[in-house]
Amino acid sequence: MDFNLTDAQKALQKKAREFAVKEVLPVSFSYDEHEIMPMDVIKKAWKAGLTNLGVPKEYGGQGYGLMEAVIVVEEIAAACPGTATSIFDNDLGAGPIVIGGNEEQKNRVLKDITENFKLIAFATSEPGMGSDVAGMQCRAEKTEDGGYVLNGTKYWITNAGYSDYISIFATVDPEKKHRGIAAFIVPTDYEGVKTGPHIPKLGQRASNTCSVVLKDVRIPKENVLAKPGRGFLLAMQTFQNTRPAVAAFAIGCARSAMEYAIDYAQKRKTFGRSIGSYQGIQFKLAEMYKDIEAARLLTYKAAWEGDQGLDSNLTSSMAKAFASDVAMNVTTEAIQVFGGYGYIRSFPVEKLFRDAKLYQIYEGTSEIQRIVISRFIMKKYQHAMPNLFEIPRVEIQVEKKGEKFTINAEKSSAELGGRWKCLVCGYVYDPVNGDPDSGIAPGTSFNDIPDDWYCPICGSDKSKFAKI
């Protein structure tokens, strides 16, 4: 097990960090204030080879694995989470084509977006549907020539107002839930496709978010990405691949908030000394660093699993949920370190605080991630220890003679009918010892105990006991 980045990964990290500091950070506050999509920055990222990270090289992409992707996006998000979201969105939009597209689609669409600086968005969410992907209402009606006609509205679609393509998911029948969902490659210049204005948001304002209205949009057969029933699985596979990157977004956001808090704590003085010399502030910073490091390790594990071809669904959900909470907690505490100055726009932590909230919401809310985790725990988790009610226990009877203890047992528990455990408190009745305090002599089997006997610990009757 090696926790070190490779030389190539370190070089990529350095490249992304330099780009973030030089090209993203200086303009991030203005783009946020005016809520404008930073297309010039995104194009610079494309020229620098920092977009289309997961698109294979044969289709013009960078051909990076998930580990390289999370390394890059953490650095960009550290400068501006909103800009990072829009830069990385091509990987989300292209994901369904990389995973489920045929060769013709990959050559036609992926090469177009990588070679000609074009954007591709991803659309599952609707005005009345977000986490419940299987509940989408956008309709897809099949035509005689093998194509489809799309009608409906998608909402919360990142980069849609500037995209050339959108990977759109729609259903042939809402009653069929996930079995009815199909996926399509939709060029935004198709007749009937209309995008709405930018949706005003709390944070990540530099990232374009808008609605996509589809009215009798005819999709030719060659643009059908996934047939009904296959579309839902394709969407889930895409999320599984992109959630480590979302976790990395959150880590980058939290990291900058921590660094700014460190800077302020070392500079700001109260009562004759820097606030960083007070244990209360030091503990806040220590908590930030501890949680960020833990979130990064979990995110790296999720990315590594994906790169190894393993099922990373569980780890990706854990990484996304944990890192999102860390970002929210760290940015909140960073504002507290700044005090009143953390609440004003003159300092960057209020922006990071606003930006951080989105990580707990998009690409599967934190509650959805916890559902994924809890389902695994309740249905698939393999216990290392015996079941609670089957824990083996060997009782010994000891006799103290000076400093020595000896075992004294004429008959074993098994010979006396076995031991019985209270299912309420866990007390174990061993017939070798009996229960002298209750008048049950040693050597009395459980079945020979009077029915009015009760557990000496919690008072439960004999019916609450099970043989072990």
Side-chain angles (χ1 to χ4, degrees):
M1 184 179 294
D2 188 353
F3 289 93
N4 294 310
L5 299 181
T6 65
D7 290 341
Q9 289 169 340
K10 290 178 182 178
L12 180 62
Q13 182 184 56
K14 182 175 183 291
K15 175 182 177 181
R17 183 172 297 176
E18 290 175 348
F19 179 87
V21 172
K22 179 182 178 181
E23 302 292 349
V24 180
L25 184 62
V27 297
S28 62
F29 307 104
S30 183
Y31 275 115
D32 176 79
E33 181 179 350
H34 296 290
E35 301 191 34
I36 297 174
M37 178 89 154
M39 287 296 290
D40 59 330
V41 178
I42 297 173
K43 189 167 186 177
K44 289 178 181 178
W46 170 71
K47 289 181 177 179
L50 296 174
T51 64
N52 303 308
L53 303 175
V55 177
K57 287 185 177 181
E58 57 263 40
Y59 307 114
Q62 307 307 320
Y64 290 140
L66 295 182
M67 267 300 299
E68 287 74 22
V70 299
I71 289 169
V72 170
V73 300
E74 177 184 336
E75 298 304 324
I76 305 299
C80 179
T83 300
T85 292
S86 283
I87 287 177
F88 184 72
D89 194 59
N90 254 30
D91 279 274
L92 175 61
I97 303 176
V98 173
I99 296 170
N102 57 43
E103 281 301 309
E104 187 277 330
Q105 292 170 337
K106 291 177 180 179
N107 278 293
R108 172 165 50 91
V109 181
L110 296 182
K111 285 186 177 181
D112 191 25
I113 64 173
T114 58
E115 296 174 0
N116 301 308
F117 181 57
K118 292 188 176 181
L119 302 184
I120 180 169
F122 178 96
T124 54
S125 296
E126 297 177 3
M129 182 282 296
S131 296
D132 181 18
V133 176
M136 67 175 58
Q137 299 296 309
C138 185
R139 297 298 295 270
E141 297 182 14
K142 193 170 185 178
T143 57
E144 293 181 357
D145 59 2
Y148 285 81
V149 175
L150 305 184
N151 281 284
T153 301
K154 293 295 180 179
Y155 207 56
W156 312 114
I157 310 306
T158 302
N159 287 6
Y162 295 80
S163 291
D164 302 278
Y165 299 93
I166 307 176
S167 294
I168 289 182
F169 293 77
T171 181
V172 295
D173 183 358
E175 296 297 322
K176 291 184 177 181
K177 299 295 184 180
H178 62 276
R179 293 187 299 274
I181 296 175
F184 310 91
I185 302 169
V186 182
T188 54
D189 60 2
Y190 271 17
E191 184 177 354
V193 178
K194 182 180 179 182
T195 57
H198 175 67
I199 301 169
K201 305 193 297 291
L202 171 71
Q204 301 209 16
R205 296 172 177 174
S207 176
N208 173 253
T209 310
C210 64
S211 62
V212 179
V213 179
L214 306 166
K215 185 175 181 180
D216 295 328
V217 180
R218 302 190 68 84
I219 305 299
K221 183 179 180 179
E222 58 268 24
N223 279 19
V224 177
L225 188 56
K227 295 180 179 179
R230 169 65 185 167
F232 180 83
L233 177 60
L234 183 58
M236 295 303 104
Q237 290 173 321
T238 303
F239 287 140
Q240 180 174 309
N241 279 350
T242 57
R243 278 174 181 157
V246 177
F249 286 150
I251 294 165
C253 176
R255 192 188 80 197
S256 281
M258 176 191 71
E259 291 176 355
Y260 296 146
I262 294 171
D263 293 340
Y264 188 81
Q266 292 174 333
K267 182 73 172 177
R268 170 72 165 164
K269 294 184 182 298
T270 60
F271 305 104
R273 56 177 175 160
S274 68
I275 63 173
S277 65
Y278 294 106
Q279 192 178 67
I281 298 299
Q282 292 173 355
F283 280 8
K284 287 182 184 295
L285 299 175
E287 286 291 321
M288 292 178 189
Y289 184 76
K290 168 178 66 68
D291 290 347
I292 290 169
E293 285 292 300
R296 184 182 292 112
L297 288 173
L298 187 54
T299 299
Y300 280 5
K301 181 188 178 187
W304 176 86
E305 286 182 351
D307 287 341
Q308 299 303 310
L310 303 175
D311 183 357
S312 61
N313 186 52
L314 175 66
T315 313
S316 294
S317 288
M318 291 192 295
K320 200 264 185 187
F322 184 69
S324 297
D325 290 345
V326 168
M328 202 67 246
N329 293 337
V330 169
T331 54
T332 300
E333 287 294 82
I335 289 178
Q336 198 68 19
V337 171
F338 276 73
Y341 286 105
Y343 199 67
I344 62 177
R345 293 186 180 183
S346 301
F347 289 95
V349 289
E350 65 85 23
K351 174 184 179 298
L352 294 173
F353 171 80
R354 290 186 287 105
D355 291 341
K357 184 57 190 175
L358 185 57
Y359 299 128
Q360 294 179 321
I361 299 172
Y362 77 170
E363 287 208 41
T365 65
S366 292
E367 290 74 23
I368 288 296
Q369 308 312 320
R370 285 168 170 78
I371 289 174
V372 173
I373 298 165
S374 61
R375 282 177 179 170
F376 170 81
I377 292 171
M378 301 305 293
K379 296 180 180 180
K380 295 182 179 180
Y381 177 74
Q382 297 295 315
H383 288 238
M385 292 291 102
N387 185 280
L388 169 65
F389 302 110
E390 299 174 357
I391 297 176
R393 177 169 171 169
V394 176
E395 298 289 347
I396 60 173
Q397 188 170 352
V398 297
E399 215 176 286
K400 186 173 183 181
K401 294 181 180 180
E403 295 299 319
K404 296 182 179 180
F405 292 85
T406 60
I407 299 174
N408 180 20
E410 295 179 358
K411 285 187 177 182
S412 69
S413 299
E415 292 172 322
L416 291 171
R419 290 172 292 118
W420 292 68
K421 186 173 189 176
C422 176
L423 300 180
V424 177
C425 71
Y427 164 77
V428 175
Y429 174 80
D430 191 331
V432 171
N433 300 325
D435 181 15
D437 291 341
S438 300
I440 308 301
T444 304
S445 70
F446 185 81
N447 290 329
D448 291 335
I449 297 175
D451 291 338
D452 61 353
W453 176 83
Y454 52 83
C455 174
I457 302 299
C458 70
S460 298
D461 60 37
K462 287 180 65 178
S463 67
K464 298 297 191 298
F465 280 70
K467 188 175 181 179
I468 58 176

